């Protein structure tokens, strides 16, 4: 803290323009920093009051939406976020015209401030900073906060009401500039120092899976949700309070927890395993005779679902826990099939299954099984177990041109740039009928017409190679056969190209064929077909499609509203459906009404209920919503 000593007749260093004796020197010697600090604190209070006076309704509506997102929020949580939400909202949430409440407050307040230093500080508040990270240095009146995602370090001035943060603690903060440093608005919010590493890992993992490209934007948008969810990453489940069906089940959890902690695994990873084990015990009520067997299997299961320090094979785990690799596999399978629904809910398994890279692995395994000509299922099981345990892969001798072409295609899927297209071209030289080759080359076509030509050729040649009788015999479960997937990929891309060329009828026919061949629709053709139906005024077909694939996510919910309104207008049913859709994703309305602009680049990934999901939906469906008369008035109301 700096004590400024100046002549009483000199200009006051606070920037007011008055003489020191008429300003800060009118009392006993005083710290100019203390004066500025008090005015900054008052400005923070005034900004919050300004927000409530003018925008209380908007803030209340947004807070109600936040409560829908926060899972299992206690009464204490609700009270806390009711206090914190206005600070976040007025700094980061843009109103109509893209200005935030803070920016409006600054414009109104600046002309009333006389001190130049205070004026400059307030003007710098137009941009706020959301930070989540570790306190690296702390000396009472200031600290250094390092953001967990960007690595940026923020030197922060602490006012009297906001001091005493421990070095090494994890904290959240909304920051504003304070000359060459920062100040918290209203303060920092720290978590238990015991789990700092868990919190860092959790935040980083959430960002990696969010679909956001910019970590700062991610923190701004998801600040309150992250504050609510992050503490759970450090919570240790109290195994003594769990009602286990028998002592053996409890011993499995205790052994698992003990061994995972000894391996230095993160708390949330350990909790994941225990929660899955609790689910298994609840569903089976099985009496556990040998806890070590299940502890080994549980460790293997968790290693397939979450990042772990010690990624052990079934053979290694068997050696640690005193059982064979086959037994580890058996117990692992037993647990997995009981808790499979919970795992499916956590993971986007369909995305993984549809990956061409995993498809290549599966192709190799099937080829090996075929070449080895096993006599019975036990031999196949032993073979698969050896592969799971990291056994050597066979050498590939005397490959046919088709096999070599397939390997080049899989390599192309993993490559990028010129190498990707070079590999695809080589594959087509070996097998001119490989549809994936044409699909990859279409990516670099100089026009949509050229791309459509390549895709149509690949689809046509692949269809001819498979044969029409193959299509008839395997209709209904096409995607489950690996040899059909190049055709399915080419056909899907060709249908999208046809729609882009305004050949809607042809695109619809192809989408319908894809659904007939694969009613499970692993490719997501139903979403594009719905849009194509609406564009072609086939609204009843679009409605039937929604009934066939009933889904409660944002896309399904808003499409229910859309089709009801296009068919019948703004009815009470449409109003009811709209309220349900808003619970699925509150951000869609802002994009549909233009209150918020769509991002320049639509994110490749999203989470249910977030702004990325909303942006993707509106980007694909805005032109259909624009057909509704007085759309803005209805949605705004």
């Amino acid at each position: 803290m700096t004590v400024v000593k100046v002549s009483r007749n000199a200009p006051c260093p606070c920037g007011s323009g008055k003489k020191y004796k008429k300003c800060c020197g009118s009392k006993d010697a005083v710290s100019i920093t203390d004066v500025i600090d008090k005015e900054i604190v008052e400005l923070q209070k005034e900004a919050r009051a300004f927000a409530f006076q003018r925008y209380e309704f908007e803030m209340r509506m947004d807070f109600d939406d936040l409560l829908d997102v926060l899972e299992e929020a206690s009464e204490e949580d609700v009270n806390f976020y009711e206090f914190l939400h206005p600070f976040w909202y007025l700094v980061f949430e843009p109103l109509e015209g893209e200005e935030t409440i803070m920016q409006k407050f600054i414009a109104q307040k600046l002309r009333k401030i006389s001190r130049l230093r205070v004026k400059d500080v307030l003007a710098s508040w137009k941009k706020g900073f959301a930070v989540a990270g570790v306190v690296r240095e702390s000396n009472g009146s200031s600290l250094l906060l390092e953001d967990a995602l960007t690595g940026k370090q923020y030197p922060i001035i602490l006012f009297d009401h906001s001091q005493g943060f421990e070095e090494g603690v994890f904290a959240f903060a909304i920051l504003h500039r304070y000359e060459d440093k920062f100040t918290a608005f209203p303060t920092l919010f720290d978590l238990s120092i015991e789990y700092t590493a868990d919190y860092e890992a959790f935040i980083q993992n959430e960002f990696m899976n969010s679909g956001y490209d910019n970590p700062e934007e991610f923190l701004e948008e998801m600040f309150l949700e992250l504050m609510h969810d992050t503490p759970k990453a450090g919570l240790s489940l109290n195994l003594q309070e769990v009602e286990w069906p028998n002592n053996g089940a409890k011993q499995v959890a205790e052994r698992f927890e003990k061994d995972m902690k000894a391996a230095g695994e993160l708390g949330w990873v350990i909790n994941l395993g225990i929660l899955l084990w609790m689910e298994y015990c609840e569903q089976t009520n099985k009496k556990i005779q040998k806890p070590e067997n299940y502890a080994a299997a549980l460790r293997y299961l968790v290693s397939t679902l979450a990042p772990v320090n010690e990624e052990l094979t079934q053979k290694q785990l068997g050696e640690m826990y005193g059982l064979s690799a086959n037994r580890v596999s058996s117990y692992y399978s037993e647990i997995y099939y009981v808790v499979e629904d919970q795992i499916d809910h956590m993971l986007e398994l369909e995305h993984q299954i549809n990956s061409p890279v995993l498809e290549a692995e599966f192709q190799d395994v099937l080829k090996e099984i075929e070449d080895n000509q096993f006599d019975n299922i036990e031999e196949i099981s032993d073979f698969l177990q050896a592969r799971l345990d990291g056994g050597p892969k066979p050498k590939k001798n005397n490959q046919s041109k088709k096999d070599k072409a397939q390997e080049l295609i899989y390599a192309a899927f993993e490559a990028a740039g010129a190498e990707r297209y070079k590999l695809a071209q080589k594959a087509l030289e070996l097998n001119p009928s490989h549809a994936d080759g044409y699909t990859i080359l279409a990516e670099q076509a100089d026009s949509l017409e050229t791309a459509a030509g390549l895709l149509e050729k690949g689809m046509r040649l692949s269809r001819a190679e498979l044969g029409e009788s193959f299509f008839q015999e395997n209709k209904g479960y096409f995607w489950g056969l690996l040899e059909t997937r190049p055709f399915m990929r080419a056909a899907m891309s060709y249908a999208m190209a046809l729609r882009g060329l305004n050949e809607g009828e042809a695109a619809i026919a192809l989408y319908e064929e894809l659904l007939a061949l694969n009613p499970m629709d692993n490719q997501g053709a139903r979403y594009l077909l719905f849009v194509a139906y609406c564009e072609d005024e086939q609204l009843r077909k679009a409605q039937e499609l929604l009934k066939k694939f009933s889904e409660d996510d944002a896309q399904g919910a808003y499409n229910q509203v859309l089709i009801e309104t296009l068919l019948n207008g703004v009815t009470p049913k449409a109003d009811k459906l709209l309220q349900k859709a808003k619970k699925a994703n509150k951000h869609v309305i802002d994009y549909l009404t233009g209150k918020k602009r769509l991002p320049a680049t639509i994110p490749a990934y999203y989470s249910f209920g977030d702004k990325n999901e909303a942006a993707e939906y509106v980007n694909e469906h805005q032109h259909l919503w624009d057909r509704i008369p007085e759309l803005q008035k209805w949605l705004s109301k």
Side-chain angles (χ1 to χ4, degrees):
M1 187 172 291
T2 304
V3 177
V4 181
K5 297 181 180 179
V6 295
S7 167
R8 290 179 56 78
N9 290 312
C12 186
C14 75
S16 66
K18 301 177 181 178
K19 290 185 178 182
Y20 178 62
K21 66 181 180 181
K22 296 279 189 180
C23 188
C24 296
S26 59
K27 301 179 181 179
D28 295 334
V30 68
S31 165
I32 297 301
T33 302
D34 279 345
V35 174
I36 304 299
D37 286 354
K38 289 177 182 178
E39 295 200 17
I40 296 303
V41 173
E42 286 305 312
L43 283 174
Q44 290 184 342
K45 293 177 182 177
E46 286 185 45
R48 191 170 186 270
F50 176 89
F52 272 105
Q53 289 167 3
R54 292 164 174 78
Y55 302 102
E56 183 176 5
F57 176 76
E58 290 86 345
M59 290 196 298
R60 173 55 59 183
M61 293 290 288
D62 192 79
F63 179 68
D64 289 343
D65 290 339
L66 174 67
L67 293 183
D68 291 336
V69 175
L70 300 182
E71 296 181 359
E72 301 176 358
S74 65
E75 183 178 351
E76 186 179 357
D77 286 340
V78 172
N79 291 336
F80 172 74
Y81 287 104
E82 191 169 21
F83 159 75
L84 181 59
H85 173 265
F87 293 97
W88 170 83
Y89 187 90
L90 71 95
V91 173
F92 297 117
E93 193 70 4
L95 304 169
E96 293 180 10
E98 296 300 305
E99 268 194 322
T100 63
I101 297 176
M102 179 61 80
Q103 289 166 347
K104 291 180 178 294
F105 170 72
I106 292 169
Q108 184 254 19
K109 186 68 179 177
L110 272 180
R111 61 179 179 270
K112 300 179 181 179
I113 297 175
S114 59
R115 299 188 195 278
L116 295 180
R117 285 180 64 187
V118 177
K119 208 168 195 174
D120 289 342
V121 169
L122 179 60
S124 70
W125 288 4
K126 290 179 181 179
K127 165 67 177 171
F129 302 86
V131 182
V134 182
V135 174
R136 296 301 182 194
E137 299 174 11
S138 179
N139 63 9
S141 61
S142 66
L143 57 78
L144 189 67
L145 184 63
E146 182 178 295
D147 187 79
L149 294 181
T150 65
K152 293 181 179 178
Q153 293 189 330
Y154 296 85
I156 301 172
I157 298 296
L158 300 174
F159 300 138
D160 291 340
H161 70 278
S162 179
Q163 295 184 2
F165 293 97
E166 190 175 354
E167 191 171 309
V169 76
F170 193 92
F172 287 86
I174 299 170
L175 301 179
H176 283 129
R177 291 196 178 277
Y178 186 170
E179 297 179 333
D180 61 339
K181 293 182 175 61
F182 295 85
T183 183
F185 182 50
T187 185
L188 277 75
F189 301 92
D190 58 337
L191 305 179
S192 172
I193 194 170
E194 182 181 357
Y195 301 108
T196 292
D198 290 301
Y199 301 142
E200 282 189 281
F202 178 81
I203 291 283
Q204 290 160 0
N205 188 64
E206 288 294 290
F207 172 64
M208 287 174 60
N209 294 316
S210 70
Y212 282 80
D213 294 324
N214 186 324
E216 293 172 338
E217 181 184 348
F218 168 69
L219 284 170
E220 289 176 10
E221 297 283 352
M222 304 301 296
F223 187 79
L224 297 177
E225 289 90 336
L226 289 170
M227 281 193 67
H228 179 259
D229 293 339
T230 301
K232 299 174 186 177
L235 289 177
S236 292
L237 294 169
N238 189 338
L239 303 184
Q240 306 304 318
E241 295 181 358
V242 177
E243 294 185 9
W244 299 104
N246 53 70
N247 192 50
K250 179 182 177 183
Q251 288 175 349
V252 172
E254 290 175 339
R255 176 71 184 271
F256 171 80
E257 182 183 52
K258 175 185 173 184
D259 292 348
M260 291 288 278
K261 284 183 176 179
E265 306 297 357
L266 295 172
W268 71 270
V269 176
I270 299 173
N271 288 345
L272 170 64
I274 292 175
L275 290 170
L276 290 175
W277 178 243
M278 289 168 62
E279 180 68 24
Y280 171 84
C281 293
E282 183 178 339
Q283 291 197 37
T284 65
N285 200 30
K286 186 172 182 177
K287 189 173 182 179
I288 307 300
Q289 300 291 345
K290 294 185 176 181
E292 61 274 9
N293 294 354
Y294 285 93
L298 189 58
R299 283 192 68 174
Y300 184 75
L301 173 62
V302 169
S303 73
T304 68
L305 303 174
V308 293
N309 293 328
E310 285 190 314
E311 195 163 340
L312 303 172
T313 66
Q314 292 179 356
K315 183 178 180 180
Q316 290 170 320
L317 284 165
E319 292 171 352
M320 289 175 62
Y321 288 85
L323 66 161
S324 68
N326 281 338
R327 298 297 287 163
V328 174
S329 177
S330 176
Y331 285 110
Y332 155 73
S333 298
E334 181 184 329
I335 299 172
Y336 176 84
Y337 288 118
V338 172
V339 300
E340 185 175 10
D341 288 344
Q342 283 67 35
I343 294 172
D344 286 353
H345 184 70
M346 291 187 294
L347 302 174
E348 295 178 3
L349 293 182
E350 184 174 303
H351 172 73
Q352 296 181 18
I353 292 169
N354 292 347
S355 164
V357 178
L358 293 183
E359 187 180 307
E361 291 287 334
F362 193 33
Q363 187 83 275
D364 286 346
V365 171
L366 291 178
K367 186 74 168 61
E368 288 179 61
I369 292 174
E370 182 180 338
D371 291 345
N372 279 284
Q373 298 182 339
F374 295 111
D375 293 328
N376 51 54
I377 191 65
E378 286 77 14
E379 290 184 3
I380 294 176
S381 178
D382 290 342
F383 159 75
L384 292 174
Q385 184 59 55
R387 285 296 299 268
L388 280 172
D389 286 341
K393 296 183 180 180
K395 294 181 180 179
K396 299 177 180 179
N397 299 318
N398 302 319
Q399 286 183 298
S400 67
K401 285 187 176 181
K402 281 189 176 182
D403 289 339
K404 291 178 181 177
Q406 185 62 68
E407 286 205 349
L408 288 169
I409 287 296
Y410 286 138
F413 276 126
E414 292 192 75
E419 180 66 15
R420 179 181 178 88
Y421 308 118
K422 183 179 178 181
L423 289 168
Q425 189 64 57
K426 283 184 177 181
L428 288 176
E429 290 171 5
L430 293 171
N431 179 11
S433 297
H434 203 306
D436 278 335
Y438 297 100
T439 301
I440 292 171
L441 291 180
E443 297 170 1
Q444 62 166 356
D446 55 5
S447 68
L448 189 56
E449 290 82 357
T450 303
L454 287 167
L455 294 165
E456 189 278 331
K457 182 178 180 180
M459 188 184 73
R460 174 167 42 82
L461 291 173
S462 181
R463 186 189 289 273
E465 187 175 47
L466 291 169
E468 287 302 323
S469 61
F470 181 91
F471 275 71
Q472 293 302 319
E473 292 168 8
N474 296 289
K475 182 179 179 180
Y477 51 94
F478 225 59
W479 187 258
L481 305 171
L482 292 184
E483 60 266 39
T484 68
R485 294 191 179 185
F487 167 81
M488 299 288 277
R489 284 189 279 263
M492 182 73 165
S493 296
Y494 182 48
M496 295 168 69
L498 287 172
R499 185 172 154 228
L501 293 170
N502 294 319
E503 296 184 34
E505 288 187 18
I508 286 173
L510 199 46
Y511 287 135
E512 289 175 338
E513 182 185 15
L514 287 170
L515 284 177
L517 291 171
N518 176 33
M520 293 297 291
D521 192 26
N522 303 73
Q523 294 178 284
R526 61 190 182 274
Y527 304 119
L528 301 176
L529 179 57
F530 173 83
V531 174
Y533 276 151
C534 291
E535 289 173 340
D536 201 45
E537 300 293 336
Q538 298 187 49
L539 300 181
R540 291 298 177 188
K541 283 191 174 183
Q543 189 178 47
E544 288 302 312
L545 189 65
L546 288 183
K547 289 180 181 178
K548 183 178 179 181
F549 295 96
S550 179
E551 295 170 280
D552 293 328
D553 62 351
Q555 180 156 276
Y558 278 97
N559 279 347
Q560 290 286 356
V561 183
L562 175 62
I563 201 67
E564 166 66 20
T565 313
L566 290 176
L567 281 169
N568 305 312
V570 179
T571 62
K573 181 180 179 181
D575 283 332
K576 187 176 180 180
L577 289 169
L578 181 61
Q579 295 309 312
K580 181 180 178 182
K582 286 171 68 177
K583 291 181 179 179
N585 192 308
K586 65 178 182 177
H587 306 291
V588 171
I589 300 295
D590 287 344
Y591 287 131
L592 284 175
T593 58
K595 181 179 178 181
K596 291 184 180 177
R597 296 178 185 173
L598 287 172
T601 303
I602 302 300
Y605 302 98
Y606 64 82
S607 298
F608 293 128
D610 70 6
K611 292 186 179 181
N612 286 356
E613 182 190 38
E616 180 175 302
Y617 174 78
V618 174
N619 185 59
E620 291 292 330
H621 298 80
Q622 179 77 67
H623 64 297
L624 301 176
W625 284 85
D626 288 341
R627 297 181 179 186
I628 300 172
E630 298 187 333
L631 172 69
Q632 300 282 340
K633 182 179 178 181
W634 177 48
L635 293 183
S636 297
K637 181 185 70 173

